[in-house]
Amino acid sequence: MHGWIILDKPLGLGSTQAVAAVKRNLRSAGFGKVKVGHGGTLDPLATGVLPIALGEATKLCGRMLDASKTYDFTISFGTETSGLDAEGQVVATSYHRPTMKELAAVLPNFTGQIEQIPPTYSAIKIDGKRAYDRARAGEVIEMKSRAVTVHDISVGHAERVSTAVTGVPESFIQRDDLLNTVTLTADVSKGTYIRSLARDIAHALGTVGHVSMLRRTRAGPFALESAISLDKLNAFGQGAAQEDIILPIEAGLVDIPALDLSPEQARAVQQGRVLTGIAMKDGLHWARGADLRPLALVQNIDGILKTVRGFNLIL
């Protein structure tokens, strides 16, 4: 059992719980003990694409963690919370609401390489302990700024301020160009915290805000189109067909080129030997033999081909 299950993770389910659900359903479907891992944590308050690797595909989890990801997220202006999400304690408020014109003016400042301070409630380790564990214990934590990359950010839906917004002065409500919430789409590098991005955008607009909706629509080569619901996963565990549930291991390699090897070259790669003299571009490739099954991840640098990670796929 080697390949991928791409789960459309529902709200409230943690990544570890999602992996446990996959293991449970695999056992129920008669597959016995299968090595399972996920390709990037997704918070319980977030939904969307969670790649779960099976068998030899778990060797690609590190690569999946390094992949860029795309998120839809909603910023609710006016309140900032301790966790920068909908469940945190309110730590700051503001009557100010931005306009779409102001938003459009600041967004270019949040593309390319930027510096951001991760949320206090995050899984980053500080002196061996998770930041969120220290925060919950009442410790005052100073999170260090780090560089991340926002490849692209764009505006989706926006909700205007209306009389339904409580606590906002009448002078604000009378304007029809102020935003109460805005939903953005961002394509980001590994290590980017969307909650921090939302906080910093709100601050740049002269107000505060928090993430009230977060949905991952892509992780590396996997998009929502290939994701299945938890209900469909559970149906598989109860005897439903395997079709469209488990994707082949090479589904996680479609974003890099394949390299076809002769039988002799294939044996060399499987044995971890260095190859030379193959006409190919520098960079990462996945090697395959005559039967087209993945043999290894290989790296070509200046005509020298080395095995990065081998796959032990028994047919």
Side-chain angles (χ1 to χ4, degrees):
M1 175 56 62
H2 309 290
W4 301 90
I5 290 177
I6 312 304
L7 187 65
D8 185 351
K9 191 190 77 65
L11 191 68
L13 189 74
S15 299
T16 301
Q17 292 172 305
V19 168
V22 167
K23 289 181 177 179
R24 182 176 64 253
N25 280 286
L26 286 172
R27 287 195 301 269
S28 298
F31 287 99
K33 189 175 182 180
V34 178
K35 189 175 182 180
V36 180
H38 65 74
T41 301
L42 197 55
D43 291 343
L45 290 180
T47 65
V49 175
L50 180 63
I52 298 179
L54 313 176
E56 288 294 284
T58 57
K59 293 178 177 180
L60 296 172
C61 282
R63 182 173 177 270
M64 201 60 60
L65 291 172
D66 290 341
S68 63
K69 299 171 178 66
T70 303
Y71 296 88
D72 292 342
F73 64 103
T74 299
I75 307 175
S76 290
F77 296 112
T79 57
E80 183 173 315
T81 65
S82 55
L84 305 178
D85 56 26
E87 286 195 346
Q89 180 182 359
V90 174
V91 295
T93 60
S94 174
Y95 287 140
H96 182 72
R97 299 292 188 274
T99 65
M100 185 64 76
K101 183 177 180 180
E102 291 169 338
L103 177 66
V106 304
L107 285 185
N109 298 330
F110 293 93
T111 56
Q113 189 174 85
I114 63 171
E115 291 287 327
Q116 72 168 198
I117 298 174
T120 302
Y121 287 85
S122 64
I124 293 173
K125 285 189 176 182
I126 300 175
D127 296 330
K129 289 183 65 176
R130 300 288 186 187
Y132 55 65
D133 288 332
R134 290 183 175 276
R136 288 166 185 162
E139 295 185 41
V140 178
I141 306 169
E142 183 178 353
M143 304 297 290
K144 294 182 179 180
S145 175
R146 60 182 185 176
V148 297
T149 301
V150 178
H151 303 294
D152 183 67
I153 189 166
S154 60
V155 179
H157 175 73
E159 176 191 317
R160 309 288 177 171
V161 170
S162 70
T163 53
V165 180
T166 58
V168 177
E170 187 69 25
S171 58
F172 283 91
I173 295 174
Q174 290 173 351
R175 292 186 59 176
D176 62 3
D177 61 341
L178 300 180
L179 303 178
N180 190 46
T181 70
V182 65
T183 299
L184 305 174
T185 297
D187 181 17
V188 301
S189 70
K190 70 170 184 176
T192 303
Y193 279 91
I194 298 297
R195 288 176 289 153
S196 294
L197 183 61
R199 173 202 61 203
D200 296 343
I201 290 172
H203 287 180
L205 291 166
T207 186
V208 294
H210 67 274
V211 172
S212 54
M213 185 282 293
L214 179 60
R215 182 161 176 76
R216 188 156 71 192
T217 59
R218 184 185 61 82
F222 298 115
L224 277 173
E225 290 76 16
S226 58
I228 63 169
S229 67
L230 185 60
D231 286 343
K232 191 170 183 179
L233 174 66
N234 290 335
F236 164 68
Q238 295 166 9
Q242 182 178 333
E243 185 180 3
D244 299 328
I245 298 291
I246 301 175
L247 302 180
I249 189 172
E250 52 265 36
L253 299 168
V254 296
D255 55 338
I256 60 174
L259 175 64
D260 292 314
L261 299 179
S262 68
E264 183 179 346
Q265 291 169 334
R267 282 192 296 273
V269 164
Q270 288 178 305
Q271 294 166 4
R273 289 188 278 135
V274 174
L275 291 176
T276 59
I278 300 178
M280 59 185 295
K281 293 182 179 179
D282 280 359
L284 195 66
H285 296 67
W286 64 279
R288 61 188 182 186
D291 57 7
L292 301 184
R293 66 187 176 103
L295 299 175
L297 279 179
V298 294
Q299 182 86 25
N300 185 60
I301 301 176
D302 296 330
I304 299 174
L305 187 72
K306 295 183 178 180
T307 299
V308 176
R309 201 70 191 265
F311 303 120
N312 183 25
L313 301 180
I314 302 174
L315 299 179

